[in-house]
Amino acid sequence: AHRTEALQRELEASGSRLVDQLAQGDAERARLCARVETLEERLAASESDLREAESEVTKASQEASEAKNVASKAKRQLAESQQRLLTPSPQAQSRLRHSIGEPLAHLEPLFSGSGAGAANKLLQEDMEALEEEAR
C-alpha cells in the first residue's frame, strides 16, 4: 500500500511537472507564434515600402530623362537662336554692302592712282591749318 501510494504521489508529481512543462511549452509556442506574426507583418510592410520606393525611383528616373531631353532641346534652340542673331540674313548683308559700298566708291579715286596724291595733299593742308590754329 505504501508502495502504491508512493508510486501514485510520484505519478502525480510527474504529471504535475508535465502539465507545467506543457503550459510553458504552450506559452512559448504562443510567444513564438506572435513573434512570427509580427515579423510577417513587418515583412509585408517592408515589401510594400520596397515596391513604393521602386515606383518612386522609376518615376524619378523618367522625370530625369525628360528633364535631360528638355535641357538638350533648349540648348539646341539657344545655339540656333545665337547663330541666327550672329549671322545677318542675306537681305541684311546685301543692304549693308550697298550702304557701305556707295560712300566707299566715291572715296576710292582719292586713294588710288593719281587721286592718292591729291588726297595726301588735302590731308597735309588740313594738318598745317590745324597747326596754325594751335599757335
Side-chain angles (χ1 to χ4, degrees):
H2 285 293
R3 179 149 171 94
T4 305
E5 284 179 20
L7 284 174
Q8 193 172 359
R9 280 193 305 270
E10 212 176 294
L11 187 58
E12 285 175 4
S14 180
S16 179
R17 283 193 304 274
L18 285 175
V19 168
D20 288 346
Q21 288 175 350
L22 280 174
Q24 287 176 351
D26 285 346
E28 183 66 15
R29 185 176 69 77
R31 187 186 70 75
L32 289 174
C33 284
R35 178 78 173 133
V36 165
E37 194 174 309
T38 300
L39 291 174
E40 287 174 343
E41 289 171 359
R42 287 178 56 195
L43 177 60
S46 294
E47 288 172 344
S48 175
D49 290 347
L50 178 60
R51 283 190 298 275
E52 186 177 326
E54 287 172 342
S55 175
E56 288 177 15
V57 166
T58 300
K59 183 179 176 184
S61 176
Q62 290 170 344
E63 289 174 355
S65 179
E66 290 171 8
K68 182 180 175 186
N69 291 341
V70 168
S72 293
K73 183 178 179 181
K75 185 177 177 183
R76 187 174 52 253
Q77 288 175 339
L78 177 62
E80 291 169 0
S81 295
Q82 287 175 331
Q83 187 62 35
R84 279 195 306 273
L85 289 173
L86 296 175
T87 306
S89 69
Q91 296 87 359
Q93 289 177 0
S94 174
R95 284 193 307 270
L96 186 61
R97 274 192 227 102
H98 182 70
S99 66
I100 291 174
E102 281 185 18
L104 291 180
H106 296 299
L107 296 176
E108 191 173 329
L110 295 175
F111 295 101
S112 61
S114 62
N120 285 336
K121 185 176 179 184
L122 288 173
L123 285 173
Q124 185 65 36
E125 288 173 4
D126 286 344
M127 290 295 288
E128 288 172 1
L130 288 172
E131 285 175 3
E132 269 187 46
E133 284 179 28
R135 287 185 213 148

